[in-house]
Amino acid sequence: MALSAVKPRTHTICRSTDPSNLVWYQVGENEKTITRPVVSDSMVPWSVDYRDYKPIKYTSPIVLKSPFWADPLQPNSDTRWNSVDKQIDRRSHLGLYAIAQGLPRNPVGRTGIEGRGLLGKWGPNHAADPIVTRWKLNPKGMVEINAKSKKPILQFVAVERKDTKEWAVPGGMCDPGEKISQTLKREFMEEALDSQNMNEKEREKYYNKLSDLFKNGTEIYRGYVDDPRNTDNAWMETIAVNFHDDNNLFGNLKLSAGDDAGKVCWMDIHSGLRLYASHSKFIHQVALLHNADW
Ligand code: BGC
């Protein structure tokens, strides 16, 4: 069942909240460093008048050089905002977003940066996050119980992102025209099974196997993500789905990091996890869903 998306009250990862803690915009090694100007909590909503607001204009050269996956420097005049536009889903899970001076407006509010930063699309940039879980077993093959909480311990397939070196769920961007169920499988295959280094036959074999494993998922989250790349005119949204492996089906898949992932592992779930963007929040939901240790 699809969840309904709730607009977050504010965002903090994609904003400098005070002058003693300026947030850098993550850019490639050889690019200049961009620091986000402070936008205090009360100035985030667009409904608050902020005449002195001076966002930095920034769209990464990587984006400007990538016509294949990125929109043009200025949106085409016939861009169909809030719709599916030539296979590109420009709808937001949060409902209709505003267009100001020809550009979409971040529905949660100001971020200190205008332009697209590292994001390819003006407006929403859609991702999908597969959260594959299993119970942790002890050497005797019994489910491991946390001594304090007396609850069973869950594990999930985690990847270390090459860009920020943070641990994360092996998710990724939806391709134009792609169904969410396809993105979930493709991203899991690319990042956790290194499918790009498989031959055609192997890839097909794994894809079919995964189709079985990914048949029954539980949607955990759908909506806006407080992602470090968000700007005033471009932002991330995702659908996170949990696939719980009660029958050790995933045990037979050899994990191998690929594409945007540098490392991959089965990671124990607990409240001390610090993950990329909103991923700890998703994992917490999964722990609650299974009544697991947190
Ligand atoms: C990542 C997803 C993440 C999304 C929003 C994408 O680049 O691959 O895992 O949920 O960004 O942060």
Side-chain angles (χ1 to χ4, degrees):
M1 198 186 64
L3 298 173
S4 54
V6 178
K7 184 165 127 185
R9 220 176 26 84
T10 191
H11 43 208
T12 50
I13 296 178
C14 61
R15 167 168 70 100
S16 292
T17 53
D18 68 77
S20 63
N21 189 14
L22 288 180
V23 172
W24 289 19
Y25 193 87
Q26 47 152 134
V27 286
E29 268 168 29
N30 301 321
E31 288 184 43
K32 57 184 175 172
T33 303
I34 307 287
T35 312
R36 290 184 185 263
V38 173
V39 180
S40 58
D41 292 356
S42 60
M43 293 307 193
V44 172
W46 295 107
S47 55
V48 175
D49 191 20
Y50 188 178
R51 297 219 177 125
D52 292 336
Y53 180 49
K54 290 200 179 56
I56 290 182
K57 213 182 212 148
Y58 181 66
T59 298
S60 164
I62 301 172
V63 170
L64 299 177
K65 275 187 285 195
S66 309
F68 179 64
W69 53 266
D71 284 338
L73 180 58
Q74 283 305 319
N76 294 327
S77 55
D78 63 349
T79 307
R80 296 178 53 220
W81 305 117
N82 288 301
S83 332
V84 179
D85 174 24
K86 302 191 194 88
Q87 297 223 313
I88 298 169
D89 193 354
R90 299 192 190 275
R91 295 169 302 179
S92 165
H93 292 305
L94 297 179
L96 296 185
Y97 49 85
I99 307 296
Q101 280 128 38
L103 298 177
R105 236 181 199 183
N106 185 319
V108 176
R110 301 181 174 100
T111 68
I113 293 192
E114 60 181 34
R116 273 170 298 160
L118 281 162
L119 296 176
K121 306 280 185 289
W122 293 102
N125 286 253
H126 289 284
D129 286 300
I131 306 175
V132 173
T133 51
R134 69 177 184 191
W135 294 112
K136 182 178 189 182
L137 302 181
N138 64 21
K140 288 185 190 143
M142 312 279 283
V143 174
E144 199 165 312
I145 307 290
N146 178 282
K148 239 178 162 179
S149 70
K150 308 272 183 285
K151 288 187 173 177
I153 301 175
L154 265 182
Q155 296 183 311
F156 78 108
V157 174
V159 293
E160 192 188 67
R161 292 176 63 106
K162 283 186 191 157
D163 56 357
T164 63
K165 300 276 180 292
E166 288 167 288
W167 284 91
V169 167
M173 300 294 194
C174 302
D175 286 342
E178 193 176 47
K179 287 204 191 100
I180 288 291
S181 57
Q182 290 171 322
T183 315
L184 290 163
K185 268 181 272 178
R186 180 180 54 71
E187 285 294 337
F188 189 82
M189 284 196 44
E190 285 177 7
E191 298 198 349
L193 301 175
D194 195 16
S195 62
Q196 286 167 338
N197 280 315
M198 291 176 184
N199 61 37
E200 210 38 58
K201 237 178 155 179
E202 257 181 327
R203 201 173 304 139
E204 200 183 307
K205 193 179 93 193
Y206 273 90
Y207 191 86
N208 292 338
K209 198 161 176 181
L210 225 56
S211 299
D212 281 346
L213 300 176
F214 275 31
K215 243 183 226 146
N216 299 309
T218 307
E219 197 175 300
I220 296 296
Y221 182 80
R222 156 183 303 253
Y224 180 89
V225 184
D226 187 2
D227 183 284
R229 293 163 294 184
N230 291 352
T231 69
D232 288 359
N233 310 114
W235 61 92
M236 286 303 311
E237 300 199 8
T238 198
I239 295 182
V241 183
N242 175 218
F243 301 98
H244 183 64
D245 181 18
D246 248 340
N247 303 312
N248 197 27
L249 297 170
F250 280 91
N252 303 324
L253 296 179
K254 200 176 143 283
L255 299 180
S256 171
D259 198 32
D260 302 331
K263 293 181 191 159
V264 61
C265 71
W266 282 99
M267 188 174 272
D268 291 1
I269 290 182
H270 56 87
S271 58
L273 286 179
R274 294 288 168 268
L275 304 172
Y276 181 77
S278 315
H279 291 191
S280 313
K281 214 167 79 183
F282 305 159
I283 296 295
H284 186 196
Q285 284 304 314
V286 172
L288 289 174
L289 175 73
H290 297 285
N291 198 17
D293 179 49
W294 174 248

